[in-house]
Amino acid sequence: MKKDMIGLALLSLLASGCNENAREVADSDDRTAVASDTTGLLSAQQSINANDLLQHIRVLASDEFEGRSPGTAGEDSTVNYLTREFQKLGLQPGNPNGTFVQKVPMFGFTAQPQANFTAGGKTINLSFPNDYVAVSRRFVQDVNVNNSDLVFVGYGIVAPEYGWDDYKGVDVKGKTIVMLINDPPIPSPNNPDQLDSTMFGGKAMTYYGRWTYKYEIAAEKGAAAAIIIHETEPAGYPYEVISGSWSRENFDISNPGKNMDRLAVESWITDSKARELFAASGNDFEKLKSAAAQKGFKPVPLNAKANFKIKNQLREVESRNVIAKLEGADPELKSEYVVYTAHWDHLGKDEKLQGDQIYNGAMDNASGTAGLIELAKAFTQLPEKPKRSILFLAVTAEEKGLLGSKYYAANPLYPLTKTLANINMDVLNPYHPTEDVIVIGYGNSDLEDILKEEAGTQNRRIVPEASPEKGSFYRSDHFEFAKQGVPALYAKSGIVARNQPADYITKKQEQYTAEHYHKVSDEVYEDWNLDGAVEDLQLYFRVGLRVANGDTYPTWREKSEFRAKREKSLAEIQ
């Protein structure tokens, strides 16, 4: 660790020397602005800096933290580090019980599955995890699904508001259903080359397209098992992301019912294995996939059987969210809150691997967790506290299904009706400052109006995400707040780098997804440029401060799927 810190210091000196001339004018302007800043805002904002950010990332992503998996020594190291850093900043314990942690009861399960299909008089053997993954989230040791009829249910969606029902009244109790990922791609009646914006989200994924929903509705319908066919383009990530995480220890929140209301088996299979199954059962995969995008689609029995046998290694785990509070200055408004979130966990250590066994998770999400500390520092540097209280919440088990944020949203330490906004960070920008800011789930709330105004002070613009069909809005911790009605903002650096080729950041992001995302190679690299991350954090700081000192509650847009929940919850306290 000492060698790392010495190296960091030397690299920082070299970097500052190389960039000294380029930044001389900008630094002079900054010093002038800070000197004339009577509110202390700019000074507090500029306390967020690349060197401190990188130091926190290096620590959190170090081998000593063993990949920060819940229920391991890596969790202990992470929780202790975050607690110490929040204490050093003079923040109050975020839990009203006087501690910096919220205990999150979970159980860990490691599935050892066996599976095969029988179709057309032959057995299709499945190799785990190369062909498929399968887990049971029931808190039991042995799960068996034998000789279960396979039924293709298209996209597995029941959406009355769109007149859509992929089940069409077919009884799937005890059966194994097979589904496609994402929402159905319905062409526009006026322009077949575009998707119909009046059906689901058009190009943008709705929650109906998220894999979690598909398993939820399958359980409601009484299916024994559910299989999602993985396709890289609509899923937004390669199959290796699924196999890498689902083939290891996973977690769920503990409950008295031991999750017996969940599916017995939740599974994914590769596109190629799905095609083999369909062909063996006398079906054309492409034809059925095309039919599934039609409102009149009806479930198709595949004339095949599924067999699953899962042995679960189980353990009870008491994981922790880490939470710190900066109490607001206004005697009345201090009981209202702005919550910043970032998940501290990653994928831990895999001793079955040869060579490097640690999933360090430097970008995902040591960077966001480090950003949370830097934001907390900035708020403590303000000469006058904001009117409302600020919560800094580092949540556990995001990688296991948003479990830490899900638990907090279901068991909030502070009323969600008094929570004005959630601002979430998941993977900061290590490449270069950008001219644009991407809003994930663009058009959802008027928090974007504040973001737009504050981005303008940085000579930046806000833009929608380029691939809303990937459903990124449903894949990070802000979503659990949104589901409970709390206006949530999830923004990221854009793709237009300042003074760089047009495709500079796009190529970097593609390289990260292909080579490092959810792999042991997600580490700190010496060519990182965290100036863009700093600029983003300063932007989030200004947005949160605006909300904390504002005269009104942020609201969801009229067409947002979360608006009704917020209105109902606020009406109940009137």
Short mmCIF file of all heavy atoms in Angstrom, two decimals, residues 101-147:
data_model
loop_
_atom_site.label_atom_id
_atom_site.label_comp_id
_atom_site.label_asym_id
_atom_site.label_seq_id
_atom_site.Cartn_x
_atom_site.Cartn_y
_atom_site.Cartn_z
N VAL A 101 -23.85 2.86 9.99
CA VAL A 101 -24.26 1.74 9.16
C VAL A 101 -25.74 1.42 9.35
O VAL A 101 -26.32 1.64 10.41
CB VAL A 101 -23.43 0.46 9.46
CG1 VAL A 101 -21.96 0.70 9.18
CG2 VAL A 101 -23.65 -0.03 10.87
N GLN A 102 -26.32 0.91 8.28
CA GLN A 102 -27.65 0.30 8.32
C GLN A 102 -27.45 -1.17 7.98
O GLN A 102 -26.96 -1.51 6.91
CB GLN A 102 -28.60 0.94 7.30
CG GLN A 102 -29.98 0.29 7.28
CD GLN A 102 -30.84 0.76 6.12
OE1 GLN A 102 -30.33 1.00 5.01
NE2 GLN A 102 -32.14 0.91 6.35
N LYS A 103 -27.81 -2.04 8.90
CA LYS A 103 -27.64 -3.47 8.67
C LYS A 103 -28.64 -3.94 7.62
O LYS A 103 -29.81 -3.57 7.65
CB LYS A 103 -27.81 -4.24 9.96
CG LYS A 103 -26.72 -3.93 10.99
CD LYS A 103 -26.94 -4.68 12.29
CE LYS A 103 -25.84 -4.35 13.30
NZ LYS A 103 -26.06 -5.05 14.61
N VAL A 104 -28.14 -4.76 6.69
CA VAL A 104 -28.97 -5.28 5.61
C VAL A 104 -28.93 -6.81 5.68
O VAL A 104 -27.95 -7.44 5.28
CB VAL A 104 -28.46 -4.80 4.23
CG1 VAL A 104 -29.35 -5.34 3.12
CG2 VAL A 104 -28.39 -3.28 4.18
N PRO A 105 -29.99 -7.43 6.23
CA PRO A 105 -29.99 -8.90 6.36
C PRO A 105 -30.16 -9.57 5.01
O PRO A 105 -31.12 -9.33 4.29
CB PRO A 105 -31.19 -9.16 7.28
CG PRO A 105 -32.11 -7.99 7.03
CD PRO A 105 -31.22 -6.82 6.74
N MET A 106 -29.22 -10.43 4.67
CA MET A 106 -29.27 -11.12 3.39
C MET A 106 -28.89 -12.58 3.60
O MET A 106 -28.38 -12.96 4.66
CB MET A 106 -28.28 -10.48 2.39
CG MET A 106 -28.52 -9.01 2.13
SD MET A 106 -27.55 -8.37 0.72
CE MET A 106 -25.89 -8.76 1.20
N PHE A 107 -29.15 -13.38 2.59
CA PHE A 107 -28.57 -14.72 2.57
C PHE A 107 -27.78 -14.86 1.29
O PHE A 107 -28.15 -14.34 0.24
CB PHE A 107 -29.64 -15.82 2.71
CG PHE A 107 -30.58 -15.95 1.55
CD1 PHE A 107 -30.28 -16.77 0.48
CD2 PHE A 107 -31.80 -15.28 1.54
CE1 PHE A 107 -31.16 -16.92 -0.59
CE2 PHE A 107 -32.68 -15.42 0.48
CZ PHE A 107 -32.36 -16.23 -0.58
N GLY A 108 -26.67 -15.55 1.42
CA GLY A 108 -25.83 -15.82 0.26
C GLY A 108 -26.12 -17.22 -0.25
O GLY A 108 -26.35 -18.15 0.54
N PHE A 109 -26.11 -17.37 -1.57
CA PHE A 109 -26.36 -18.69 -2.14
C PHE A 109 -25.45 -18.90 -3.35
O PHE A 109 -25.30 -18.04 -4.19
CB PHE A 109 -27.83 -18.87 -2.54
CG PHE A 109 -28.36 -17.84 -3.50
CD1 PHE A 109 -28.41 -18.10 -4.87
CD2 PHE A 109 -28.80 -16.61 -3.05
CE1 PHE A 109 -28.90 -17.15 -5.75
CE2 PHE A 109 -29.29 -15.65 -3.93
CZ PHE A 109 -29.35 -15.92 -5.28
N THR A 110 -24.83 -20.06 -3.37
CA THR A 110 -24.00 -20.46 -4.50
C THR A 110 -24.64 -21.68 -5.13
O THR A 110 -24.75 -22.74 -4.50
CB THR A 110 -22.57 -20.79 -4.05
OG1 THR A 110 -22.02 -19.67 -3.35
CG2 THR A 110 -21.69 -21.11 -5.25
N ALA A 111 -25.11 -21.51 -6.36
CA ALA A 111 -25.85 -22.58 -7.03
C ALA A 111 -24.90 -23.52 -7.76
O ALA A 111 -23.97 -23.09 -8.43
CB ALA A 111 -26.84 -21.99 -8.02
N GLN A 112 -25.16 -24.80 -7.62
CA GLN A 112 -24.48 -25.83 -8.40
C GLN A 112 -25.55 -26.53 -9.24
O GLN A 112 -26.17 -27.49 -8.81
CB GLN A 112 -23.78 -26.83 -7.48
CG GLN A 112 -22.68 -26.19 -6.64
CD GLN A 112 -22.06 -27.15 -5.65
OE1 GLN A 112 -22.72 -28.07 -5.18
NE2 GLN A 112 -20.80 -26.95 -5.34
N PRO A 113 -25.79 -26.00 -10.46
CA PRO A 113 -26.92 -26.50 -11.25
C PRO A 113 -26.53 -27.60 -12.24
O PRO A 113 -25.40 -27.67 -12.71
CB PRO A 113 -27.39 -25.25 -11.99
CG PRO A 113 -26.12 -24.48 -12.21
CD PRO A 113 -25.22 -24.78 -11.05
N GLN A 114 -27.52 -28.42 -12.54
CA GLN A 114 -27.45 -29.35 -13.66
C GLN A 114 -28.74 -29.17 -14.45
O GLN A 114 -29.81 -28.97 -13.87
CB GLN A 114 -27.33 -30.80 -13.19
CG GLN A 114 -26.07 -31.09 -12.38
CD GLN A 114 -26.05 -32.52 -11.86
OE1 GLN A 114 -26.89 -33.33 -12.23
NE2 GLN A 114 -25.09 -32.81 -11.00
N ALA A 115 -28.65 -29.23 -15.77
CA ALA A 115 -29.85 -28.99 -16.57
C ALA A 115 -29.73 -29.65 -17.94
O ALA A 115 -28.62 -29.81 -18.47
CB ALA A 115 -30.10 -27.49 -16.74
N ASN A 116 -30.88 -30.00 -18.48
CA ASN A 116 -30.94 -30.46 -19.86
C ASN A 116 -32.35 -30.27 -20.40
O ASN A 116 -33.30 -30.08 -19.63
CB ASN A 116 -30.48 -31.92 -20.01
CG ASN A 116 -31.39 -32.90 -19.30
OD1 ASN A 116 -32.58 -33.00 -19.58
ND2 ASN A 116 -30.81 -33.64 -18.35
N PHE A 117 -32.46 -30.30 -21.71
CA PHE A 117 -33.76 -30.29 -22.39
C PHE A 117 -33.93 -31.61 -23.13
O PHE A 117 -32.95 -32.21 -23.58
CB PHE A 117 -33.85 -29.15 -23.42
CG PHE A 117 -33.62 -27.78 -22.86
CD1 PHE A 117 -32.77 -26.88 -23.51
CD2 PHE A 117 -34.26 -27.36 -21.69
CE1 PHE A 117 -32.56 -25.61 -23.02
CE2 PHE A 117 -34.06 -26.09 -21.19
CZ PHE A 117 -33.21 -25.20 -21.86
N THR A 118 -35.16 -32.03 -23.26
CA THR A 118 -35.46 -33.15 -24.15
C THR A 118 -36.44 -32.65 -25.20
O THR A 118 -37.46 -32.04 -24.88
CB THR A 118 -36.06 -34.34 -23.37
OG1 THR A 118 -37.23 -33.91 -22.67
CG2 THR A 118 -35.06 -34.89 -22.38
N ALA A 119 -36.12 -32.89 -26.46
CA ALA A 119 -36.96 -32.41 -27.56
C ALA A 119 -36.67 -33.25 -28.80
O ALA A 119 -35.51 -33.60 -29.06
CB ALA A 119 -36.68 -30.95 -27.86
N GLY A 120 -37.72 -33.57 -29.53
CA GLY A 120 -37.53 -34.32 -30.78
C GLY A 120 -36.86 -35.65 -30.58
O GLY A 120 -36.10 -36.12 -31.44
N GLY A 121 -37.11 -36.28 -29.44
CA GLY A 121 -36.56 -37.59 -29.19
C GLY A 121 -35.09 -37.60 -28.78
O GLY A 121 -34.47 -38.67 -28.72
N LYS A 122 -34.51 -36.43 -28.52
CA LYS A 122 -33.11 -36.41 -28.09
C LYS A 122 -32.93 -35.49 -26.88
O LYS A 122 -33.79 -34.64 -26.59
CB LYS A 122 -32.20 -35.96 -29.23
CG LYS A 122 -32.33 -34.50 -29.61
CD LYS A 122 -31.26 -34.13 -30.65
CE LYS A 122 -31.27 -32.64 -30.95
NZ LYS A 122 -30.20 -32.25 -31.90
N THR A 123 -31.83 -35.68 -26.21
CA THR A 123 -31.50 -34.88 -25.03
C THR A 123 -30.49 -33.81 -25.42
O THR A 123 -29.47 -34.11 -26.06
CB THR A 123 -30.92 -35.75 -23.90
OG1 THR A 123 -31.91 -36.70 -23.51
CG2 THR A 123 -30.54 -34.88 -22.71
N ILE A 124 -30.78 -32.58 -25.06
CA ILE A 124 -29.86 -31.46 -25.29
C ILE A 124 -29.19 -31.15 -23.96
O ILE A 124 -29.81 -30.62 -23.04
CB ILE A 124 -30.60 -30.22 -25.81
CG1 ILE A 124 -31.32 -30.53 -27.12
CG2 ILE A 124 -29.64 -29.05 -25.99
CD1 ILE A 124 -32.21 -29.40 -27.61
N ASN A 125 -27.93 -31.53 -23.83
CA ASN A 125 -27.20 -31.29 -22.59
C ASN A 125 -26.74 -29.84 -22.54
O ASN A 125 -26.39 -29.25 -23.56
CB ASN A 125 -26.00 -32.23 -22.49
CG ASN A 125 -26.43 -33.67 -22.29
OD1 ASN A 125 -27.29 -33.96 -21.46
ND2 ASN A 125 -25.86 -34.58 -23.07
N LEU A 126 -26.75 -29.28 -21.35
CA LEU A 126 -26.36 -27.88 -21.13
C LEU A 126 -25.13 -27.81 -20.25
O LEU A 126 -25.09 -28.43 -19.17
CB LEU A 126 -27.51 -27.10 -20.48
CG LEU A 126 -28.82 -27.05 -21.25
CD1 LEU A 126 -29.91 -26.38 -20.41
CD2 LEU A 126 -28.64 -26.30 -22.56
N SER A 127 -24.14 -27.09 -20.72
CA SER A 127 -22.90 -26.94 -19.97
C SER A 127 -22.94 -25.65 -19.16
O SER A 127 -23.14 -24.57 -19.71
CB SER A 127 -21.70 -26.92 -20.92
OG SER A 127 -20.51 -26.61 -20.23
N PHE A 128 -22.76 -25.77 -17.85
CA PHE A 128 -22.76 -24.61 -16.96
C PHE A 128 -21.33 -24.12 -16.74
O PHE A 128 -20.44 -24.94 -16.47
CB PHE A 128 -23.38 -25.00 -15.61
CG PHE A 128 -23.23 -23.96 -14.53
CD1 PHE A 128 -24.09 -22.87 -14.48
CD2 PHE A 128 -22.23 -24.07 -13.56
CE1 PHE A 128 -23.95 -21.92 -13.47
CE2 PHE A 128 -22.09 -23.12 -12.57
CZ PHE A 128 -22.95 -22.05 -12.52
N PRO A 129 -21.04 -22.84 -16.87
CA PRO A 129 -21.92 -21.72 -17.20
C PRO A 129 -21.82 -21.30 -18.66
O PRO A 129 -22.30 -20.23 -19.01
CB PRO A 129 -21.38 -20.62 -16.30
CG PRO A 129 -19.90 -20.85 -16.30
CD PRO A 129 -19.72 -22.36 -16.38
N ASN A 130 -21.21 -22.13 -19.51
CA ASN A 130 -20.97 -21.72 -20.89
C ASN A 130 -22.26 -21.62 -21.71
O ASN A 130 -22.39 -20.73 -22.55
CB ASN A 130 -20.01 -22.70 -21.56
CG ASN A 130 -18.65 -22.72 -20.90
OD1 ASN A 130 -18.17 -21.68 -20.46
ND2 ASN A 130 -18.04 -23.88 -20.80
N ASP A 131 -23.21 -22.53 -21.47
CA ASP A 131 -24.46 -22.53 -22.22
C ASP A 131 -25.60 -21.86 -21.47
O ASP A 131 -26.53 -21.34 -22.09
CB ASP A 131 -24.90 -23.97 -22.54
CG ASP A 131 -23.92 -24.70 -23.44
OD1 ASP A 131 -23.27 -24.04 -24.27
OD2 ASP A 131 -23.81 -25.94 -23.31
N TYR A 132 -25.53 -21.91 -20.16
CA TYR A 132 -26.63 -21.41 -19.35
C TYR A 132 -26.14 -21.11 -17.95
O TYR A 132 -25.07 -21.55 -17.52
CB TYR A 132 -27.76 -22.45 -19.27
CG TYR A 132 -27.52 -23.53 -18.23
CD1 TYR A 132 -28.26 -23.57 -17.05
CD2 TYR A 132 -26.52 -24.50 -18.40
CE1 TYR A 132 -28.02 -24.54 -16.07
CE2 TYR A 132 -26.28 -25.47 -17.44
CZ TYR A 132 -27.04 -25.49 -16.28
OH TYR A 132 -26.80 -26.44 -15.33
N VAL A 133 -26.94 -20.35 -17.23
CA VAL A 133 -26.78 -20.20 -15.78
C VAL A 133 -28.16 -20.42 -15.18
O VAL A 133 -29.19 -20.17 -15.84
CB VAL A 133 -26.23 -18.82 -15.36
CG1 VAL A 133 -24.78 -18.67 -15.78
CG2 VAL A 133 -27.08 -17.68 -15.93
N ALA A 134 -28.20 -20.89 -13.96
CA ALA A 134 -29.48 -21.10 -13.28
C ALA A 134 -29.26 -20.97 -11.78
O ALA A 134 -28.27 -21.48 -11.25
CB ALA A 134 -30.04 -22.49 -13.60
N VAL A 135 -30.16 -20.26 -11.13
CA VAL A 135 -30.11 -20.11 -9.69
C VAL A 135 -31.51 -20.31 -9.12
O VAL A 135 -32.51 -20.22 -9.83
CB VAL A 135 -29.59 -18.72 -9.25
CG1 VAL A 135 -28.20 -18.44 -9.81
CG2 VAL A 135 -30.57 -17.61 -9.65
N SER A 136 -31.54 -20.59 -7.84
CA SER A 136 -32.79 -20.55 -7.09
C SER A 136 -32.59 -19.59 -5.94
O SER A 136 -31.65 -19.73 -5.15
CB SER A 136 -33.17 -21.93 -6.55
OG SER A 136 -34.37 -21.84 -5.80
N ARG A 137 -33.46 -18.59 -5.88
CA ARG A 137 -33.38 -17.61 -4.80
C ARG A 137 -34.22 -18.02 -3.59
O ARG A 137 -34.39 -17.23 -2.66
CB ARG A 137 -33.81 -16.23 -5.32
CG ARG A 137 -32.91 -15.72 -6.44
CD ARG A 137 -33.30 -14.36 -6.95
NE ARG A 137 -32.58 -14.06 -8.17
CZ ARG A 137 -31.34 -13.54 -8.22
NH1 ARG A 137 -30.72 -13.24 -7.10
NH2 ARG A 137 -30.75 -13.31 -9.37
N ARG A 138 -34.72 -19.23 -3.63
CA ARG A 138 -35.38 -19.77 -2.45
C ARG A 138 -34.32 -20.20 -1.44
O ARG A 138 -33.29 -20.76 -1.82
CB ARG A 138 -36.27 -20.95 -2.83
CG ARG A 138 -37.43 -20.56 -3.74
CD ARG A 138 -38.28 -21.76 -4.11
NE ARG A 138 -39.44 -21.37 -4.90
CZ ARG A 138 -40.37 -22.21 -5.33
NH1 ARG A 138 -40.25 -23.52 -5.06
NH2 ARG A 138 -41.40 -21.77 -6.04
N PHE A 139 -34.59 -19.95 -0.17
CA PHE A 139 -33.61 -20.25 0.86
C PHE A 139 -33.73 -21.72 1.26
O PHE A 139 -34.09 -22.08 2.38
CB PHE A 139 -33.81 -19.33 2.06
CG PHE A 139 -32.66 -19.33 3.03
CD1 PHE A 139 -31.38 -19.05 2.61
CD2 PHE A 139 -32.87 -19.60 4.38
CE1 PHE A 139 -30.32 -19.04 3.50
CE2 PHE A 139 -31.82 -19.59 5.28
CZ PHE A 139 -30.53 -19.31 4.85
N VAL A 140 -33.44 -22.58 0.27
CA VAL A 140 -33.48 -24.03 0.49
C VAL A 140 -32.26 -24.63 -0.20
O VAL A 140 -31.70 -24.05 -1.13
CB VAL A 140 -34.77 -24.66 -0.08
CG1 VAL A 140 -36.00 -24.21 0.69
CG2 VAL A 140 -34.94 -24.34 -1.57
N GLN A 141 -31.86 -25.81 0.25
CA GLN A 141 -30.63 -26.40 -0.26
C GLN A 141 -30.80 -27.12 -1.59
O GLN A 141 -29.89 -27.12 -2.41
CB GLN A 141 -30.06 -27.37 0.79
CG GLN A 141 -29.50 -26.67 2.03
CD GLN A 141 -28.85 -27.65 2.99
OE1 GLN A 141 -29.24 -28.80 3.08
NE2 GLN A 141 -27.84 -27.18 3.70
N ASP A 142 -31.95 -27.75 -1.79
CA ASP A 142 -32.14 -28.56 -2.99
C ASP A 142 -33.40 -28.12 -3.74
O ASP A 142 -34.48 -27.99 -3.13
CB ASP A 142 -32.26 -30.04 -2.64
CG ASP A 142 -30.97 -30.59 -2.05
OD1 ASP A 142 -29.98 -30.69 -2.80
OD2 ASP A 142 -30.96 -30.89 -0.84
N VAL A 143 -33.26 -27.91 -5.04
CA VAL A 143 -34.39 -27.52 -5.88
C VAL A 143 -34.37 -28.41 -7.12
O VAL A 143 -33.35 -28.56 -7.78
CB VAL A 143 -34.29 -26.04 -6.30
CG1 VAL A 143 -35.40 -25.69 -7.29
CG2 VAL A 143 -34.38 -25.13 -5.08
N ASN A 144 -35.54 -28.97 -7.42
CA ASN A 144 -35.65 -29.83 -8.59
C ASN A 144 -36.88 -29.45 -9.43
O ASN A 144 -37.97 -29.26 -8.88
CB ASN A 144 -35.78 -31.30 -8.17
CG ASN A 144 -34.52 -31.82 -7.51
OD1 ASN A 144 -33.50 -32.02 -8.17
ND2 ASN A 144 -34.58 -32.04 -6.20
N VAL A 145 -36.68 -29.32 -10.72
CA VAL A 145 -37.78 -29.14 -11.66
C VAL A 145 -37.62 -30.25 -12.69
O VAL A 145 -36.65 -30.26 -13.46
CB VAL A 145 -37.73 -27.75 -12.33
CG1 VAL A 145 -38.79 -27.65 -13.43
CG2 VAL A 145 -37.94 -26.65 -11.29
N ASN A 146 -38.55 -31.19 -12.69
CA ASN A 146 -38.40 -32.39 -13.51
C ASN A 146 -39.46 -32.47 -14.60
O ASN A 146 -40.66 -32.25 -14.33
CB ASN A 146 -38.49 -33.65 -12.64
CG ASN A 146 -37.36 -33.72 -11.62
OD1 ASN A 146 -36.21 -33.44 -11.94
ND2 ASN A 146 -37.71 -34.08 -10.39
N ASN A 147 -39.02 -32.79 -15.79
CA ASN A 147 -39.93 -33.08 -16.90
C ASN A 147 -40.99 -31.98 -17.06
O ASN A 147 -42.18 -32.25 -17.25
CB ASN A 147 -40.61 -34.43 -16.67
CG ASN A 147 -41.01 -35.10 -17.96
OD1 ASN A 147 -40.33 -34.97 -18.97
ND2 ASN A 147 -42.14 -35.81 -17.93
#
